[in-house]
Amino acid sequence: MARRSTKPSIYKFWTNISFSMSDHRMMATSCTLRPQLGDFVNVMDYKALLDGIEDNLGSKAAAVIISAAGRTYGKKIATALGASMESQDLPTILKRLNLCLGMEGTRLCMIEEVSQQENFIRVKVTEPVEMSGETGGSSRLCPFTLGILGGFIDQVMQRRHQARQVPVADQINLQTEFEFTPL
C-alpha cells in the first residue's frame, strides 16, 4: 500500500493565489494553509531554522541546499505569474516579482533596483529576511533570497545563470546586491 504524503504542496498554495490582471499582483485569497494562525511566521523563527541548518551542515553546505530550494521556488513563482521575456523587459518583470515578495506579498525582501548589463544582471534588495536582526558589519549571506531571484531569472530568460551575493560595504540599511551571470 502506497503511503500518502501529508505535507502541503506548494503547488496547492499557488493555486489559491489570486491574480489581479490590471497590476499583476499575487495575494493569498485567504489563510489557506493555517486557518487560525495565518500563512506567515515570525522572522526570528526563520532565522532559527537558518542558523540550525548552518550549525548542523556547515555554512557552505547549508547555503547550497537553501539556495537550491529558493531556486526551485523562484521558478514556480515565475511560472505562476506567467512571466516571460516575450512580453516585457527584465526590470519590469522583476517589479512584478517585487509585488509578490515585498510589502504587498510575502515580505521576504524588497527589490529596490535592477540593472541589466551586457554580461550580468544586478539586483539590489533591502530587508532580505536572512539579514533580519543583523548588526552593522555583518557578513550574513542570503541564500534563500539569492535562490528565489536566480530561479525566477532562469525561468524567465530560459537560461541558467551563476548567482552570487555582492559584498556591500557594511551591508548598510539591511541591503545587499546579487549578480546573475549567464552560463
Side-chain angles (χ1 to χ4, degrees):
M1 180 177 192
R3 188 172 165 186
R4 191 171 169 196
S5 174
T6 58
K7 293 190 292 186
S9 165
I10 191 67
Y11 176 74
K12 287 180 186 174
F13 173 73
W14 283 111
T15 59
N16 291 318
I17 299 293
S18 67
F19 293 91
S20 170
M21 298 312 285
S22 61
D23 57 10
H24 298 93
R25 292 184 197 184
M26 285 180 60
M27 303 169 112
T29 54
S30 65
C31 297
T32 57
L33 300 177
R34 298 190 321 167
Q36 291 182 352
L37 293 176
D39 293 340
F40 296 97
V41 298
N42 188 294
V43 171
M44 298 320 293
D45 293 336
Y46 174 81
K47 293 280 291 196
L49 174 66
L50 184 65
D51 289 342
I53 293 170
E54 289 174 346
D55 288 348
N56 284 285
L57 296 178
S59 60
K60 289 183 181 181
V64 168
I65 291 168
I66 294 167
S67 65
R71 183 174 295 278
T72 300
Y73 188 47
K75 288 179 180 183
K76 288 179 181 181
I77 294 170
T79 301
L81 283 175
S84 71
M85 289 301 291
E86 295 170 2
S87 59
Q88 299 171 9
D89 62 344
L90 187 63
T92 302
I93 292 169
L94 284 169
K95 285 180 185 173
R96 288 177 55 199
L97 176 63
N98 190 44
L99 289 173
C100 299
L101 302 180
M103 290 293 292
E104 297 180 38
T106 63
R107 298 179 181 221
L108 179 85
C109 68
M110 293 184 296
I111 299 172
E112 292 293 321
E113 186 178 321
V114 178
S115 60
Q116 193 168 1
Q117 310 297 323
E118 188 173 316
N119 298 328
F120 64 91
I121 299 159
R122 183 172 280 200
V123 180
K124 178 178 162 183
V125 302
T126 57
E127 295 190 38
V129 69
E130 296 95 335
M131 291 179 69
S132 302
E134 298 294 316
T135 57
S138 171
S139 60
R140 164 59 72 190
L141 294 178
C142 303
F144 192 58
T145 303
L146 173 87
I148 290 174
L149 294 171
F152 187 88
I153 290 169
D154 288 355
Q155 186 71 21
V156 167
M157 300 189 81
Q158 293 297 299
R159 185 173 185 183
R160 179 93 170 155
H161 292 76
Q162 179 179 5
R164 75 179 188 103
Q165 186 169 340
V166 179
V168 176
D170 296 326
Q171 303 277 12
I172 308 165
N173 296 327
L174 295 175
Q175 76 180 29
T176 194
E177 296 180 12
F178 304 99
E179 283 184 359
F180 303 92
T181 307
L183 294 177

